[in-house]
Amino acid sequence: MILKNLALIIRRFQKNLTYTMFNVVGLAVGFSVVIYISLYINHELTYDQFIPSHNSVFRLSQRSYALTSPSHIGYLSENMDEIEAETLLLNSGNFLIGLNGERQVEPKGYYVTAGFFDVFNYPIAKGSYDNFSELPNAMVITETMEKRMFDEESALNKEIIIYQGDEESVFKIIAVLEDIPSNTHLKFNMVMHMPSAILANGKDNWGYTIYHGYVKTDESFTSGQFQTKVDRIFAKRALDNDWYPGKTTVKEILTQTKFETPLTLRVDDIHLKSNINFDLQPGGDRNNLWIFGIAAVFILLLAITNFINLATAQSAKKAKEVGVRKTLGSSRIKLVGQFLTESVILCLVAALLALGMVELFIPFMKLFLNFDISFSIISNPLNLIILLMLALFTGVLGGLYPAIYLTSFKPAVVLKGKMSSGTKGSWLRNSLVVFQFTISLTLGIFVYGVQDQLNYGLQKDPGFVRENLIVIDNSLDQLGQNAAKFKNDLSADSRFVSSGYFNFDLIGMSSTFIAPEKNTIDENRFRVYYQWADSSYLNTLGVNLIEGRNFNEMTLSDTSVIILNETAVRALGFEKPIGKRIQFGGSPGNFEIVGVVKDFHHQSFRKQVPPTAFVYSKYTENALAVRLSAGDVSAKLLALESIWKENTLQPFDYSFVDADFGRLFEEEQRLSKIVAAFTFLAFFVACLGILGLAGYLAERKTKEIGIRKVLGATVEQIVTLFSQQFIRLVFIAMLIAVPLSYYASSAWLNSYVYKVNIDPLGFVIICLSGLAIVVVAVSYHAIKSGSANPVNALKEE
């Protein structure tokens, strides 16, 4: 009996092949979208959860940037009994490494203190890091680096040289780790035991916040629970040192002052909850995950509505079969079961096709999203189980209404041919078409708004000239004693307009506190982002000096001078800032304001331009900004590299500032790409439904079309007749989608301080595009039916 029913279902699929293909492809697209978005959301939500102890590892940092000092982390370890291990990590930028006489740059490496592997117990591929803390020259690398550096040889006990300026340090590889998954904030190919000389530089200096610090506890805490403990410990330190006269309790310290305790985050919360300067990796956005999840649900619903639409539209063809079966004694339950089985089989076929689509396109998704994602049924059979459950659920949900609807026909009415073909289901089909295009149009308009905001951020004047500006890395003292000579060589070459040394990344400066000169407590202090820079840096950057003067290396008094932006001046409350002296960091009020620059962007447009300062230092040589003259950039880069090689044998490493600035909008670019792709798929699924319904309508109106043609109707009139019904439904969808998309776009844009106004043109473009798609889809069947010989239609039956 089962085989007989299965054969019957297969014959029905073959007989209605177009209907079957539309349903299978639509459902497969819906399933594959759900899989892709689920992979992405899972990738984002499981950051750092591969670390066995992720529930008890916490990062300690400052409130506005992800760095700390040895004093902070040491004090916390001494005063919290639950801490069982601690470590500091130094991000020194690129490393120049040597092996067998050859040198190369390794950008993914860190110096770490002895307790690193007590905090992060990474899976080991070979060797052991148990004695890492005892070996001052120990190095641990990943399998990828082992293969790249040593081919098929084992890396264990091999030595690698680290070059820094004129100094060389030899490290021995004691272990090889399994490759670190892509969803981690701590990506590296090698870690080395931090030399004691580096760590000694910041000993007992609470302001020496240059490290990323982590602790491991002996029990699990949430980020909030651990933060509460840390707050009380550091507030008690302030109370014990009587930093706030009149405050007598820890609670008063925490609630009645601007006292800032360190920020703590559990390691698996960092990716989605941090987003502060000097994060090791760009953070994610939990709101975007909600957007993707909702988009996946809607696209799946679009596929299901197609299924229901086409199933009810086919009711006329199945009605007589139902009447005959009922007359021969089939029960309604049996018929419902048969139709549900047909629906589930169709969904299972679509699920198998979706698996093939996912496997086929996942390499393109990796390039599209710019990170590594994987989908494997063999290594994770749960994926297959979830997909099959989804197919089963969809089959039951999508087939239940058509099954109940079809089996509700009275046999006598059906067999007499008095039943109107699918009329009772027309209200449902029309509602579902409206639903489909409401979702498609809403997604399309939202994508237009996202792209508009992205273009605004990339094209808006940031307050400095980012074109033809590059930054050359000298963080490892690659130029040595030739740093000044290299800059002078560039100044003598007309291809390079100007150049200036500075200390930190332009996009993501460090921060400290500033306050009026005679401020005795921290009530009036505030945080400022700052940059150590030489006298030519600001000119090279192209910021607008609106008051005062620039730094002058020839002026002997320019040893403790500072230039502020407009926001910092307003925060200080100075009407005439030039000549005023301020506290900067831990300085005793000996920095003089000599200039004010116009506000410029060096952070995400979600944030207000922060107080920013430039501090003069003629010894700053970590990086060099170089302004190229207009013209052939490639030729100038070759010339620049040639001059570099005349001054050092170290590798030439540079980046374009406009590309660095573009990194501020990585999340928006990813959001725009993903939602745009899924919007296209939403329209595609909706078009499949329209094509199927238009085909059904053409078939049902075959005689009517024949009569109209005999009476003189043209093909254009028949196309208009066909299109009217669908155009009316699309207009209803527009009326719903426009306010819905306006609300969604406004809510998303409200997270930005600097944003575009919602463009009405986007609504017009997307709505007209949706209308055009419907007209084209419907016109295909209308022209086909209108061009047929009416005699063939009228002689039927």
Side-chain angles (χ1 to χ4, degrees):
M1 179 62 76
I2 296 176
L3 292 177
K4 183 179 179 181
N5 288 333
L6 185 60
L8 183 64
I9 290 170
I10 292 174
R11 282 200 300 271
R12 185 178 289 119
F13 287 164
Q14 291 174 338
K15 185 178 179 181
N16 301 286
L17 188 59
T18 301
Y19 155 78
T20 302
M21 290 301 298
F22 280 160
N23 259 331
V24 169
V25 172
L27 287 171
V29 170
F31 288 150
S32 60
V33 167
V34 170
I35 292 171
Y36 281 131
I37 293 183
S38 298
L39 289 174
Y40 175 74
I41 292 176
N42 182 68
H43 180 276
E44 294 292 289
L45 292 179
T46 57
Y47 253 68
D48 291 305
Q49 290 186 11
F50 69 93
I51 301 170
S53 55
H54 67 87
N55 284 330
S56 56
V57 176
F58 296 84
R59 186 188 71 185
L60 185 73
S61 72
Q62 303 303 300
R63 290 279 167 172
S64 60
Y65 60 101
L67 301 174
T68 191
S69 71
S71 299
H72 282 88
I73 206 149
Y75 182 83
L76 182 62
S77 296
E78 292 171 6
N79 290 275
M80 184 181 287
D81 296 335
E82 293 90 345
I83 292 178
E84 61 180 28
E86 64 178 74
T87 189
L88 292 169
L89 176 152
L90 182 61
N91 182 14
S92 297
N94 297 333
F95 283 90
L96 184 64
I97 64 176
L99 178 68
N100 299 328
E102 295 184 2
R103 299 184 180 189
Q104 65 183 68
V105 173
E106 174 53 60
K108 295 182 180 179
Y110 301 112
Y111 284 123
V112 298
T113 54
F116 182 78
F117 290 107
D118 295 324
V119 175
F120 297 101
N121 46 345
Y122 290 111
I124 299 176
K126 61 181 68 171
S128 172
Y129 51 58
D130 290 344
N131 58 347
F132 180 85
S133 61
E134 303 168 7
L135 301 173
N137 67 332
M139 173 184 282
V140 175
I141 66 174
T142 62
E143 288 179 303
T144 294
M145 185 171 178
E146 179 188 43
K147 187 174 182 180
R148 172 160 48 84
M149 300 288 292
F150 302 98
D151 290 327
E152 301 301 322
E153 285 188 68
S154 172
L156 293 180
N157 298 317
K158 295 288 197 304
E159 292 184 341
I160 288 181
I161 301 172
I162 302 293
Y163 299 96
Q164 189 154 10
D166 298 327
E167 299 181 2
E168 299 179 5
S169 301
V170 179
F171 289 87
K172 179 180 287 187
I173 300 171
I174 64 169
V176 177
L177 304 179
E178 295 179 6
D179 281 336
I180 309 297
S182 62
N183 56 339
T184 177
H185 84 288
L186 188 54
K187 296 177 182 178
F188 61 86
N189 285 327
M190 63 179 189
V191 291
M192 295 81 66
H193 198 296
M194 190 182 299
S196 56
I198 294 178
L199 196 58
N201 289 336
K203 187 178 181 180
D204 300 324
N205 184 350
W206 287 78
Y208 202 65
T209 52
I210 67 168
Y211 300 96
H212 293 267
Y214 301 87
V215 296
K216 182 181 179 182
T217 60
D218 58 9
E219 58 180 297
S220 297
F221 296 99
T222 66
S223 290
Q225 290 169 339
F226 193 71
Q227 183 69 62
T228 300
K229 287 178 172 289
V230 171
D231 286 347
R232 296 189 65 84
I233 288 172
F234 281 91
K236 188 175 185 305
R237 174 173 178 262
L239 186 65
D240 293 343
N241 286 278
D242 197 26
W243 289 345
Y244 303 94
K247 311 299 182 186
T248 59
T249 66
V250 167
K251 184 177 181 180
E252 287 181 310
I253 296 291
L254 290 172
T255 60
Q256 297 183 25
T257 73
K258 292 184 179 179
F259 177 71
E260 284 192 357
T261 60
L263 173 66
T264 61
L265 280 174
R266 203 168 71 180
V267 68
D268 54 359
D269 285 336
I270 290 173
H271 179 64
L272 291 176
K273 294 184 179 180
S274 181
N275 286 321
I276 54 179
N277 277 357
F278 296 106
D279 275 331
L280 291 172
Q281 300 294 330
D285 189 333
R286 190 176 292 271
N287 290 332
N288 287 350
L289 300 187
W290 278 104
I291 293 172
F292 298 147
I294 292 171
V297 171
F298 279 145
I299 291 175
L300 180 60
L301 288 177
L302 290 181
I304 295 174
T305 56
N306 267 355
F307 184 88
I308 297 174
N309 253 346
L310 295 176
T312 54
Q314 291 286 320
S315 60
K317 292 185 176 181
K318 295 181 180 179
K320 287 188 177 181
E321 178 189 340
V322 171
V324 172
R325 284 177 174 272
K326 279 192 169 185
T327 302
L328 295 176
S330 290
S331 66
R332 186 176 184 183
I333 294 177
K334 185 176 180 181
L335 290 171
V336 169
Q338 179 183 328
F339 288 127
L340 284 178
T341 301
E342 180 180 328
S343 173
V344 169
I345 289 175
L346 201 64
C347 289
L348 290 174
V349 173
L352 292 177
L353 179 60
L355 286 176
M357 292 169 66
V358 170
E359 289 291 346
L360 179 64
F361 292 109
I362 208 162
F364 301 100
M365 290 297 291
K366 291 179 181 179
L367 294 174
F368 188 65
L369 299 177
N370 196 29
F371 64 75
D372 187 33
I373 56 174
S374 60
F375 179 77
S376 173
I377 293 174
I378 298 175
S379 62
N380 191 1
L382 183 62
N383 290 332
L384 179 60
I385 295 172
I386 292 173
L387 181 60
L388 293 178
M389 293 295 290
L390 180 61
L392 182 62
F393 171 77
T394 303
V396 173
L397 180 65
L400 191 59
Y401 175 82
I404 294 174
Y405 175 63
L406 289 172
T407 57
S408 67
F409 299 152
K410 294 180 180 180
V413 175
V414 173
L415 295 176
K416 287 179 181 179
K418 294 181 179 180
M419 184 194 130
S420 180
S421 304
T423 303
K424 291 183 180 180
S426 61
W427 68 270
L428 177 63
R429 290 194 297 275
N430 291 341
S431 300
L432 294 179
V433 169
V434 170
F435 172 78
Q436 286 179 310
F437 274 90
T438 298
I439 298 306
S440 301
L441 293 172
T442 300
L443 286 174
I445 295 170
F446 180 77
V447 167
Y448 188 95
V450 172
Q451 190 62 44
D452 215 16
Q453 175 65 18
L454 177 60
N455 292 337
Y456 172 77
L458 294 175
Q459 296 172 9
K460 183 181 184 296
D461 180 9
F464 65 93
V465 184
R466 63 191 183 198
E467 293 79 15
N468 292 325
L469 182 63
I470 68 170
V471 171
I472 301 174
D473 178 45
N474 190 43
S475 59
L476 302 178
D477 195 24
Q478 293 96 316
L479 288 166
Q481 300 297 319
N482 288 337
K485 179 180 177 299
F486 178 65
K487 182 181 175 183
N488 290 334
D489 291 345
L490 297 182
S491 299
D493 193 320
S494 61
R495 290 170 291 187
F496 310 109
V497 178
S498 63
S499 61
Y501 280 108
F502 62 103
N503 199 47
F504 303 114
D505 287 343
L506 171 61
I507 309 301
M509 303 180 186
S510 189
S511 69
T512 187
F513 287 104
I514 65 172
E517 178 183 11
K518 296 183 179 180
N519 185 58
T520 56
I521 59 175
D522 69 348
E523 293 290 349
N524 297 317
R525 70 177 184 167
F526 60 91
R527 187 166 290 280
V528 63
Y529 290 88
Y530 71 97
Q531 186 76 268
W532 295 99
D534 69 9
S535 59
S536 55
Y537 174 71
L538 290 178
N539 285 334
T540 303
L541 189 59
V543 294
N544 187 9
L545 187 70
I546 59 176
E547 191 173 350
R549 64 174 178 83
N550 199 348
F551 301 132
N552 189 341
E553 62 184 10
M554 304 304 294
T555 303
L556 296 179
S557 61
D558 271 11
T559 54
S560 298
V561 293
I562 194 167
I563 294 175
L564 303 177
N565 72 343
E566 296 169 290
T567 300
V569 171
R570 286 194 297 268
L572 286 166
F574 293 155
E575 292 184 6
K576 296 181 179 180
I578 304 303
K580 293 285 198 311
R581 305 190 75 85
I582 61 171
Q583 291 186 22
F584 175 78
S587 69
N590 60 347
F591 276 79
E592 180 187 355
I593 302 173
V594 296
V596 178
V597 297
K598 193 172 181 62
D599 283 344
F600 68 97
H601 293 280
H602 55 88
Q603 292 189 348
S604 167
F605 277 27
R606 294 178 186 270
K607 303 175 183 177
Q608 190 78 34
V609 173
T612 306
F614 295 95
V615 188
Y616 176 66
S617 173
K618 62 181 179 181
Y619 304 108
T620 292
E621 296 173 344
N622 271 12
L624 182 68
V626 180
R627 173 75 59 190
L628 307 179
S629 61
D632 187 354
V633 174
S634 299
K636 292 180 179 62
L637 287 175
L638 290 174
L640 189 59
E641 185 174 8
S642 176
I643 297 173
W644 171 273
K645 289 179 177 179
E646 292 173 4
N647 288 277
T648 179
L649 298 176
Q650 311 298 348
F652 178 59
D653 186 23
Y654 68 92
S655 65
F656 285 91
V657 169
D658 53 358
D660 295 338
F661 188 77
R663 290 203 308 268
L664 293 175
F665 305 95
E666 281 183 352
E667 196 63 29
E668 288 83 354
Q669 290 173 325
R670 184 174 297 170
L671 174 65
S672 178
K673 286 180 180 179
I674 294 175
V675 180
F678 294 149
T679 299
F680 169 78
L681 293 177
F683 273 109
F684 174 74
V685 171
C687 283
L688 287 180
I690 292 295
L691 281 169
L693 287 177
Y696 154 74
L697 189 64
E699 185 177 349
R700 189 164 68 88
K701 291 181 176 289
T702 300
K703 282 191 175 182
E704 179 186 339
I705 293 171
I707 293 171
R708 286 179 179 273
K709 287 202 70 177
V710 169
L711 295 175
T714 64
V715 174
E716 290 79 8
Q717 289 173 327
I718 292 172
V719 170
T720 302
L721 176 69
F722 263 71
S723 303
Q724 282 177 347
Q725 177 183 346
F726 291 100
I727 290 174
R728 184 166 56 250
L729 297 177
V730 173
F731 270 113
I732 295 172
M734 288 179 188
L735 293 176
I736 301 172
V738 167
L740 189 62
S741 56
Y742 181 87
Y743 173 79
S745 299
S746 297
W748 183 74
L749 286 171
N750 281 340
S751 64
Y752 289 85
V753 175
Y754 305 95
K755 58 190 176 185
V756 294
N757 294 319
I758 295 178
D759 187 1
L761 183 62
F763 293 82
V764 175
I765 291 174
I766 300 301
C767 288
L768 290 179
S769 298
L771 191 62
I773 289 171
V774 170
V775 170
V776 170
V778 174
S779 295
Y780 166 75
H781 285 290
I783 293 172
K784 182 180 178 182
S785 298
S787 302
N789 190 339
V791 175
N792 296 329
L794 294 176
K795 73 179 181 180
E796 290 182 1
E797 299 185 6

